[in-house]
Amino acid sequence: QVQLVESGGGLVQPGGSLRLSCAASGSGFSLSGMGWYRQAPGNQRDFVASISSGGTTNYADSVKGRFTLSRDNAKNMMYLQMNSLRPEDTAVYYCYAHSTRGRYWGQGTQVTVSS
């Protein structure tokens, strides 16, 4: 079993920055791929970014060049640095992780980009 907890969401002005964190906890697991999805009201849950256990990243075109995904395997932590934020980035951001025991999701953290 794996539990994921997101943090770092909040209100930010357009052009500003936020860093989201995702902490994994539990026992008897080893994390492999991790990443983020986001969902705005009335929309589907869209892929944002992913990172492999070796650090290989992949980004949605909408965030490429603005967001940076990283992980600390020793701490079972993942970070999403979000720069040059736009109103269309407003959404609930969900952390996900793959482990030897399955696929897991966090409960989400709200990011609001507004002036």
Side-chain angles (χ1 to χ4, degrees), residues 20-35:
L20 305 184
S21 298
C22 177
S25 62
S27 62
F29 72 93
S30 179
L31 296 177
S32 53
M34 303 180 71

Side-chain angles (χ1 to χ4, degrees), residues 74-95:
K75 294 182 176 180
N76 287 328
M77 292 284 292
M78 177 176 61
Y79 309 95
L80 183 66
Q81 180 65 46
M82 309 164 66
N83 298 327
S84 302
L85 284 163
R86 305 165 180 169
E88 53 263 42
D89 295 318
T90 296
V92 177
Y93 284 69
Y94 296 92
C95 168

Side-chain angles (χ1 to χ4, degrees), residues 54-69:
T56 301
T57 55
N58 186 48
Y59 300 93
D61 288 343
S62 59
V63 307
K64 192 171 297 182
R66 300 188 297 120
F67 292 9
T68 302
L69 188 59

Side-chain angles (χ1 to χ4, degrees), residues 35-49:
W36 296 86
Y37 278 69
R38 65 187 182 185
Q39 187 169 22
N43 294 105
Q44 64 184 9
R45 187 174 294 189
D46 294 324
F47 171 78
V48 176

